[in-house]
Amino acid sequence: MRMLLAAFAATTILAGAAQATTVYPLDRATILAGSPFDFKVELNKQVKPEDVKVTVNGQDYKTVLGGEAQFIELEKGKEDKALGSALLLRGLKISAPGAYKIEVSAGDETKSVTWDVYETAAQPKAKNIIFLLGDGLSVAHRTAARIMSKGMTEGKANGRLNMDDLDHMAFIGASATNAVATDSANTMSAFMTGHKTAVNALGVYADRTPAALDDPRVETFGEAVRRTTKKSIGIVATSEIEDATPAAVVSHTRSRNEKADIVGMLLEVKPEVILGGGSAYFLGKEVAGSKRKDNQDYIKLFQDAGYKLATDKNELAANASADGNLLGLFHTGNMDVTLDREFLKKGTVEKFPNQPGLVEMTKVALDRLSKNPDGFFLMVEGSSIDKMSHPLDWDRAVIDTIEFDKAIGLAREFQKAHPDTLIVVTGDHTHGVSIIGTVDDEKPGTEMREKVGTYAEAGFPNYKDENGDGYPDKVDVSRRLFLSANNGPDHYETFRPKLDGPFVPAVQNEKKEYVANEQYKDVPGAVFVQGNLPKSSESGVHAVDDVVLQSAGPGAEGFHGYMEQSDVYRVLADTFALGAKQTN
Amino acid sequence: MDIFSSLYLSRRRLIGAAVALPFTAHAVRAAGALLSFDELYGKFGVLGLEFSDKVKRLAGQEISMKGFMAPPLKAEAQFFVLTEVPMSLCPFCSSDADWPDNIVVVYLGEKQTFVQPRQTIEVRGTLEYGSWTDPETGFVSLLRIRQAEYFAV
């Protein structure tokens, strides 16, 4: 009884403390057998090393974890704030599957966590995995893509998207370790490591110290594939290649914004194919257009490491069937979206007129990676679905969803010829967007909101695809889909596609508040929409809603029901047998 | 239109005179060559941008540029970023924001109170190009206007 009371008192004190004792990996972590990870204990108080006791399943941790942790007498936060002592053991591995209960005590601090170390199938189920991620891909995006691309007659779709025929499905929960909401870094990191983490973090647990590169690491899928197989790795994105989603295949940092460091991490893992934007972080700071703060020339470092370089559509095509590693960088920043690149010639297309699209990049990646007799892992990101959903530019987001679906079509074609290929299609989070009907310019009056049709008044949109390219011939048809955001900053709703360039809904004033961008105020019929987010928000935000995951091919049966995004990794690892006993 | 331009001129003179007081040399400053955002680079490319011949020719000289003030780091500071379009993101404070290429860093000769980001401004000062790291913020810039002053237009 006395012990119980003491425990209760200790718990109460801890509950009142600013932060509880923390153990990384966190409680309920799922860990691939044989996969290296860092173990860290953060204590609230400064203690002596002899006061700290750590056991694993009742035994001294050194015996079970196979190493002695470094004792850090005092960790410091911002402005040298004392945070407490810590233990850190890097790069340990647990080979035997099972439950591992870690108990920590130091003075009056105690903490207990349990990890689930799992093995995988002994034999791989598939030779190749193509993991296609539509950043921000929400249900409304795909519904709109289907209707705009294929059309609809009497309430039935006139055609199906490629993603519509993937036969295994799951709902994915995408919350972060520090928030119910998520970002692309946190979610892709969970897909690519099997560990949930904090917003903005990649391949690490987010610890309490300010440095972004010292946080406890977990192995990424790219590294696991390197460690256990001879397969090739490909990363394709329309964003900067150092952006959260592509970076998560190989990177370890608390801050996704450390893009210059992420380039170095890409070079460490050396994926055979790297295609996307973001060359600014490859250029030394003396070069105009560089975003580095040092003079490292990563273009040269990659070339020295055996990479061929492609900087536009023609050079990519010329490299399509060559041997060796390929680095394709097609923009200093994010590549232009499909609507601007292929149709409107807006955005930065004038400056970078010869950018390839996601489909061309995916094609080259598949051609080159499939030369490896041991197979490959290819990650393809339709990056701009999200980048255009933040500023509520739904037409650009949907046209990019169509492009993303075309890349899925290529993957499906590849799968027909190579049935030993698993295809996974998912988003990393959703956006607060829904289709609620149409906007019909033919409806009477000048007020645009009176032209919004809901229920029976909506009818059907009149997009046409007469050239059969899968994209509507124009987006500014007279009766178009009406997509509406459930969140955003103050802005003007124009009820029309933004033909002059991507939408900029709000701009910041001198009080650092985002106010409606008056550039759209005088568009005929535009109405002011009061924001429902804090005035510090410049755009719409990710929704916490589940993400739909679809899959086909060997291993796809692992996806069903509700899953955490960290569980997706386990299916991928199982498909490649990355945690089989013989690999440990 | 006449009314607007005379208003614009008188306002500019007014602010210009107030700003120029501590810097008498500036009181007689000529307007200098006008430089526009689309004249900054002669070549865009994945492997880097190249400054235009005009930028190279005007380096070290008085120039003026029109643009918008990016949301500043502090209410009062010695420098800000001039952008071609009103910026919806504060380049310093948003975690996801990156520096676009259509910006110029403006170092003021004298602290001025910042204006709304939607307000078109004209900046005058000495053009400078080449890599330079701000000692206070660590920000690396390649194109700057120094000893600058600006006017709402």
Side-chain angles (χ1 to χ4, degrees), chain A residues 125-129 373 414-415 417-422 553-554 575-576:
Chain A
K125 294 174 180 167
K127 178 175 151 186
N128 314 305
I129 296 178
F414 182 87
Q415 192 185 37
H418 306 83
D420 48 359
T421 302
L422 171 69
T575 301
F576 274 172

Side-chain angles (χ1 to χ4, degrees), chain B residues 16-118:
Chain B
V19 169
L21 277 176
F23 294 93
T24 44
H26 287 192
V28 291
R29 168 187 273 181
L34 192 68
L35 186 64
S36 68
F37 274 100
D38 55 15
E39 293 173 325
L40 297 182
Y41 298 95
K43 201 183 106 197
F44 283 90
V46 165
L47 299 181
L49 282 52
E50 208 172 274
F51 288 116
S52 65
D53 291 340
K54 187 169 181 180
V55 163
K56 291 174 188 169
R57 198 174 65 239
L58 291 174
Q61 297 182 31
E62 292 284 308
I63 59 122
S64 65
M65 279 192 81
K66 282 184 188 169
F68 297 89
M69 186 181 288
L73 190 59
K74 297 177 195 160
E76 280 202 354
Q78 208 73 28
F79 77 97
F80 67 90
V81 173
L82 188 73
T83 64
E84 184 176 15
V85 292
M87 293 283 291
S88 69
L89 294 170
C90 160
F92 281 113
C93 61
S94 168
S95 61
D96 283 1
D98 285 323
W99 287 91
D101 45 42
N102 53 351
I103 62 168
V104 175
V105 177
V106 177
Y107 283 88
L108 298 169
E110 163 99 333
K111 280 183 184 174
Q112 287 184 247
T113 306
F114 288 108
V115 299
Q116 290 274 349
R118 286 164 289 166

Side-chain angles (χ1 to χ4, degrees), chain A residues 257 279 281 288 291 508 510 514, chain B residues 46 49 71 88 95 99 116-117:
Chain A
N257 300 313
S279 66
Y281 294 97
K291 286 179 182 168
Q508 204 179 48
E510 76 284 359
Y514 281 93
Chain B
V46 165
L49 282 52
S88 69
S95 61
W99 287 91
Q116 290 274 349

Side-chain angles (χ1 to χ4, degrees), chain A residues 134-177:
Chain A
D135 199 316
L137 183 69
S138 314
V139 171
H141 290 124
R142 55 198 292 154
T143 309
R146 188 184 305 112
I147 294 172
M148 281 172 78
S149 170
K150 311 292 177 189
M152 177 176 272
T153 309
E154 294 174 339
K156 286 191 176 179
N158 295 342
R160 297 167 71 83
L161 297 172
N162 293 305
M163 67 178 96
D164 288 334
D165 294 318
L166 296 159
D167 50 3
H168 288 79
M169 299 181 76
F171 268 53
I172 306 296
S175 292
T177 53

Side-chain angles (χ1 to χ4, degrees), chain A residues 528-580:
Chain A
F528 175 78
V529 178
Q530 181 158 7
N532 56 5
L533 296 176
K535 288 177 182 168
S536 55
S537 306
E538 84 279 13
S539 68
V541 296
H542 302 168
V544 181
D545 311 3
D546 290 348
V547 173
V548 177
L549 179 147
Q550 288 177 276
S551 183
E557 64 281 357
F559 297 110
H560 50 79
Y562 173 80
M563 301 170 79
E564 301 292 340
Q565 86 271 57
S566 47
D567 299 334
V568 170
Y569 178 88
R570 188 166 178 167
V571 180
L572 302 179
D574 200 52
T575 301
F576 274 172
L578 299 184

